[in-house]
Amino acid sequence: MWTPYDPAALDVTNKMAPPWTDGHLLGTDQLGRDVVAQLMAGALNSLLVAVLSTAGAVVLGVALGLTAAGGGRFWSDTLTRATDVAIALPGILVALVLATFFGPSNTTAIVAIVVWFVPGAARIVIGPARQVLAREFVEAAMAYGRSRSFVLFRHVLPNLGPLIIVMASMMFAGAILTEAALSYLGLGAQRPTPSWGRLLFESQSVIGQAPSLVVFPGVCIMLAVLGFNLLGDGLRSRLDPRHAREVVV
């Protein structure tokens, strides 16, 4: 409905048309599919995967980080060491294992990105959460008889809001790049669903004949990742008072 052509429609008589040919703004690929339509549909797919994987990683990572920061010494040390070990695992290897068991798909890419990002999110949250737990108003709430879980979600979590927002924006950029990499390796979206990474993979065989087919999805990935990284930097400058003072000075 919102693309100029059906992204999956084939027109072999008009394949590999250059830009600005017969109403195709960026031309067609090796099977005659409109490049603009595929880029637009690929953007929707990449954003969907990035939103779901980032949301899952943030929720699970923050919950794990709060548990590690507010638990007893045994649980805190165990979860902290577990996140360190998980961070050392290569995410591509995790994706390959998942694809072997469940097959390549968007679901596999989402699960792989979540598994990859959760340990890092938890590790980011643990330190600041412990700092908040050491503050006087938290000790007063504990002395008042509040449970530790209530203190974590009522007092600690709101104070981590700016950190979580910045972390989520940075993870969103990483999720877009990771989804493109997984799709390029054949572990993400499969045809007929377009994906920026899949477009790169399919275009590499004709790069000598039509280099624009590689350039356009690459530029889309670069701009999306750059945009969300800049958004994360802007949010950090706006929401973190210490960083804001440093910038002013």
Side-chain angles (χ1 to χ4, degrees):
M1 294 177 60
W2 64 289
T3 56
Y5 297 90
D6 182 357
L10 305 181
D11 184 9
V12 293
T13 61
N14 196 28
K15 62 182 181 180
M16 296 185 66
W20 306 99
T21 300
D22 296 333
H24 297 286
L25 181 62
L26 299 180
T28 59
D29 65 2
Q30 56 269 38
L31 294 178
R33 294 170 296 204
D34 183 72
V35 173
V36 172
Q38 292 193 81
L39 291 176
M40 294 175 68
L44 179 62
N45 178 76
S46 296
L47 291 175
L48 177 63
V49 172
V51 167
L52 295 178
S53 57
T54 300
V58 168
V59 171
L60 295 177
V62 170
L64 185 61
L66 290 177
T67 302
R73 183 181 181 86
F74 172 78
W75 283 111
S76 179
D77 292 342
T78 301
L79 291 176
T80 302
R81 298 291 80 79
T83 56
D84 292 339
V85 172
I87 290 174
L89 294 176
I92 297 296
L93 178 60
V94 174
L96 287 171
V97 173
L98 292 173
T100 301
F101 282 98
F102 303 107
S105 64
N106 273 340
T107 303
T108 300
I110 292 172
V111 174
I113 295 172
V114 170
V115 172
W116 193 354
F117 284 4
V118 163
R123 203 70 180 87
I124 291 174
V125 169
I126 290 175
R130 286 174 175 168
Q131 293 178 359
V132 177
L133 283 170
R135 297 176 65 179
E136 291 80 2
F137 67 90
V138 174
E139 296 178 356
M142 296 290 289
Y144 188 71
R146 299 297 188 184
S147 65
R148 185 167 291 271
S149 59
F150 177 87
V151 170
L152 287 173
F153 288 98
R154 176 63 179 84
H155 297 289
V156 178
L157 184 59
N159 282 278
L160 299 180
L163 172 67
I164 295 173
I165 292 174
V166 174
M167 179 180 68
S169 65
M170 294 292 189
M171 289 175 61
F172 197 90
I176 291 178
L177 187 60
T178 305
E179 187 276 333
L182 294 176
S183 296
Y184 179 84
L185 295 174
L187 305 177
Q190 302 295 303
R191 287 294 186 179
T193 303
S195 171
W196 289 340
R198 192 69 184 175
L199 293 177
L200 282 175
F201 173 78
E202 294 173 349
S203 302
Q204 65 182 1
S205 60
V206 294
I207 188 173
Q209 301 169 270
S212 61
L213 295 180
V214 177
V215 172
F216 293 138
V219 169
C220 288
I221 295 171
M222 181 192 70
L223 292 178
V225 175
L226 176 63
F228 282 104
N229 275 325
L230 292 176
L231 175 63
D233 289 339
L235 289 174
R236 183 177 59 181
S237 300
R238 175 70 64 176
L239 299 176
D240 188 349
R242 293 172 300 178
H243 183 77
R245 285 197 297 269
E246 293 173 2
V247 172
V248 171
V249 173

